[in-house]
Amino acid sequence: MPYISEDKINEVKDQIDIVNLISEYIDLKQSGSNYIGLCPFHNEKTPSFTVSSQKRIFHCFGCGEGGDAISFIMKKENLSYPEAIQFLADKLGIFLETGKVDKELYEHRKILYAINNEAKLYFFHNLLTNTIPKKYIKERGLDRTFINKYMIGYATGNAQGLLNHLLKKGYKVEDMIELGLVKKSSKSNSLYDAFRNRLIFPITDIRKNIIGFGGRTLVDDRAKYINSPESLIYHKSNNIYGVGNLQNASKKNKIILVEGYMDVISLSNNGIDYCVASLGTALTKEQAKLISRYSKNIYICYDGDDAGIKAAERAMEIFAELNINPYIVQIPDGLDPDDYVKKYGKNAFDNLLENSLNPILYKYRNLLNSYNLKDIDQKVEFLEKLAKLLSDIESKLTRDEYISRFSKDLDIDNESLLQEVDKISNNMNKKDTSNLLKVDKKIYNSNKTNMKLKLIESLRFVLFNNPIANRIIEESDFLKNETKYWTLCLEIIQNINLNDDLKHQIQSLNLDSDIEKIFNKVLKIKDFTEYTNIDSANKYINSLRVEGLIYKRDELKEQFSLLEENENLTDDLKIVYSNLAMDILKLNKEIKKFDKN
């Protein structure tokens, strides 16, 4: 997100009514000059949550949470500081002038949101006045409450119904086409509605804007589902269906990830209102990050068919990259969550959650189901793959626990399985250790970095990006070992006034000539935009983080090299040697994660 000026932040703060804002989330009652209600951040029966309209703050005397409108939205919607400001600005209709967004684009985005909202109302009205969707909804056993909650709609068979409705409202055809609501025939150039004879599922973002639609056919159509295309306001890989349920997930501290719209709605219909779906696409890293902001207790509940199993395995890999181990819910008989909960009810589904498996047990069960252990050859192949699965577990304590458990389960010798796993682990470590001292050819190589240039770049960000300066200083900490000027330069920055002429102030300090040269280069730029931009600063922080890791790793490599040259290591030094190797491997893994991103 781009840099937001202090003036614009104050404009948002001045215009937002904190009482009205918080009233959208909880019931508030006036008590004297303040308002009180039940705290949205912890469970309580007696109201201890107080909002002051005059002071524009809130405070809970039960759990201690407090702050202004921005901090409330950050906490309630799980947003960063810039995201919360954007959230409130959108609500107020304030344009945040930044280096990245122009006003025309902003106004165009507002028009697209308005068109989608009007389309949502049109589809919803169609559902209320047509028997076809009502019959389908009745057959699915959906309660009217949930029809309203998800604003489910209906697209009739009228080829230009929505088109004509939006034209009457004064909207442009080119905007309807951009949103994928209307299409143009390649043969006749005639216009027609993209969604016809379909149940419609509006898709919202975290700010409750309608960003797109999904449509399920109610007739014999070759495409069971169609979805809105990518647009200025809709990016499938960054959004999820059922985002409103994430608030419930925060309260229950768990999230169920399912495949489709009807799964989310059907489970909600049965009292399981903390489900989201990945919009008909394979789960993306952006979606996983969004989900994990609300809870780390994630239950993957995909369909029980082969496609569902593969999708679950891919989702596990994505969550693993975020250091999250999800639970996998196995639905029997090849059913999907929607069918299962309708057939067996909420209690049965809750039991599935209780018996869900972590990734290791899930992969173990899948291995078991893939082999006939009565056949010698298949059993040998199975045990080889099991040993590989176990060798991937980093914690020795955890690995040994699973070895013991699986040995009992399979009625095999514990020691034999342990030896096989250790053999694979040792081979992997030898392979990795032999590469420890190779020259790293990645773009981030601290040995080739000019530390003075890095110092200059860091100081520019610190000078011109105060909101993020502390993070830059923290990640630049390794520079103090490479350049004697780092700490002194920081002290100088803390004692100068950014609002006055910086060059004049630096000259008046009578600095060492080398330090003055550094500051002259720091200030020798015409355009400060890059350094005041939050996105640029965040990218720079990531590059610093990688350089810091590489710097640390290279220090360990030097120690490792010294020990490797010694042919007569004592037992104590052998332990140090082994630990160094493992530490370097761990740092390599961390560095590779950044390379993937």
Side-chain angles (χ1 to χ4, degrees), residues 276-390:
V276 295
S278 52
L279 294 172
T281 61
L283 184 74
T284 66
K285 194 166 185 178
E286 290 76 18
Q287 290 171 333
K289 285 179 180 177
L290 174 59
I291 293 167
S292 63
R293 274 160 56 174
Y294 292 83
S295 177
K296 307 300 180 190
N297 294 321
I298 297 162
Y299 294 77
I300 299 172
C301 188
Y302 286 168
D303 297 355
D305 55 15
D306 289 341
I309 291 170
K310 288 179 181 177
E313 289 175 350
R314 176 62 187 140
M316 280 190 289
E317 292 175 8
I318 290 171
F319 281 117
E321 290 177 21
L322 302 177
N323 294 317
I324 295 171
N325 286 318
Y327 301 96
I328 296 85
V329 181
Q330 292 187 300
I331 302 179
D333 306 324
L335 296 174
D336 59 29
D338 176 24
D339 291 331
Y340 186 87
V341 78
K342 279 194 302 184
K343 187 173 182 179
Y344 299 107
K346 181 180 183 297
N347 289 339
F349 190 84
D350 286 340
N351 286 335
L352 289 182
L353 293 183
E354 287 291 326
N355 293 301
S356 58
L357 304 173
N358 65 35
I360 297 169
L361 290 175
Y362 178 76
K363 291 174 182 177
Y364 170 65
R365 289 280 179 89
N366 283 345
L367 270 179
L368 273 177
N369 294 332
S370 302
Y371 290 91
N372 175 12
L373 300 189
K374 292 181 180 178
D375 182 289
I376 292 294
D377 292 336
Q378 287 198 44
K379 186 170 184 177
V380 169
E381 187 176 340
F382 163 80
L383 290 173
E384 287 173 352
K385 289 192 176 181
L386 177 61
K388 175 64 176 68
L389 170 64
L390 291 164

Side-chain angles (χ1 to χ4, degrees), residues 219-275:
V219 296
D220 187 14
D221 196 297
R222 63 180 182 177
K224 186 176 180 181
Y225 282 96
I226 61 171
N227 303 289
S228 292
E230 296 274 315
S231 69
L232 177 64
I233 63 173
Y234 181 46
H235 304 286
K236 252 196 273 193
S237 64
N238 294 339
N239 292 281
I240 54 176
Y241 181 71
V243 71
N245 287 340
L246 293 175
Q247 295 299 334
N248 296 325
S250 294
K251 294 174 189 173
K252 295 183 169 67
N253 196 26
K254 58 184 170 184
I255 296 173
I256 300 174
L257 175 63
V258 294
E259 287 188 46
Y261 309 111
M262 284 306 300
D263 292 325
V264 171
I265 295 166
S266 183
L267 290 173
S268 291
N269 192 54
N270 285 274
I272 305 163
D273 57 356
Y274 43 95
C275 307

Side-chain angles (χ1 to χ4, degrees), residues 376-525:
I376 292 294
D377 292 336
Q378 287 198 44
K379 186 170 184 177
V380 169
E381 187 176 340
F382 163 80
L383 290 173
E384 287 173 352
K385 289 192 176 181
L386 177 61
K388 175 64 176 68
L389 170 64
L390 291 164
S391 67
D392 288 337
I393 302 172
E394 289 190 9
S395 166
K396 188 177 186 307
L397 189 65
T398 305
R399 189 192 315 143
D400 289 348
E401 190 62 35
Y402 278 111
I403 288 172
S404 176
R405 176 171 175 173
F406 294 158
S407 297
K408 289 177 183 176
D409 187 29
L410 298 165
D411 194 23
I412 59 175
D413 180 51
N414 180 84
E415 194 60 34
S416 298
L417 183 56
L418 179 62
Q419 288 176 6
E420 187 65 25
V421 172
D422 284 344
K423 184 172 75 175
I424 293 174
S425 297
N426 289 336
N427 287 338
M428 288 170 63
N429 286 339
K430 282 179 184 177
K431 183 181 177 182
D432 288 336
T433 303
S434 66
N435 293 323
L436 281 177
L437 296 175
K438 286 185 178 179
V439 176
D440 199 333
K441 294 181 181 179
K442 297 291 181 184
I443 57 171
Y444 303 123
N445 192 327
S446 59
N447 288 333
K448 294 181 181 179
T449 301
N450 184 320
M451 288 299 172
K452 274 194 179 179
L453 290 177
K454 185 58 62 179
L455 169 61
I456 290 164
E457 193 75 352
S458 294
L459 290 175
R460 283 173 176 167
F461 275 105
V462 172
L463 266 171
F464 303 112
N465 210 319
N466 272 344
I468 212 161
N470 286 337
R471 288 176 60 201
I472 295 168
I473 291 170
E474 183 182 338
E475 295 299 340
S476 301
D477 189 58
F478 69 94
L479 286 173
K480 70 184 180 186
N481 298 318
E482 285 293 318
T483 171
K484 60 185 179 182
Y485 304 118
W486 174 239
T487 305
L488 184 57
C489 285
L490 287 179
E491 288 177 6
I492 294 168
I493 283 177
Q494 288 169 359
N495 291 292
I496 60 177
N497 186 346
L498 294 182
N499 296 318
D500 292 341
D501 187 322
L502 293 174
K503 288 186 178 179
H504 177 73
Q505 289 182 76
I506 296 299
Q507 288 169 358
S508 67
L509 291 173
N510 296 319
L511 299 172
D512 175 280
S513 60
D514 285 335
I515 297 180
E516 189 166 342
K517 284 178 185 177
I518 287 172
F519 271 103
N520 285 335
K521 288 182 179 179
V522 168
L523 302 175
K524 195 177 180 182
I525 49 173

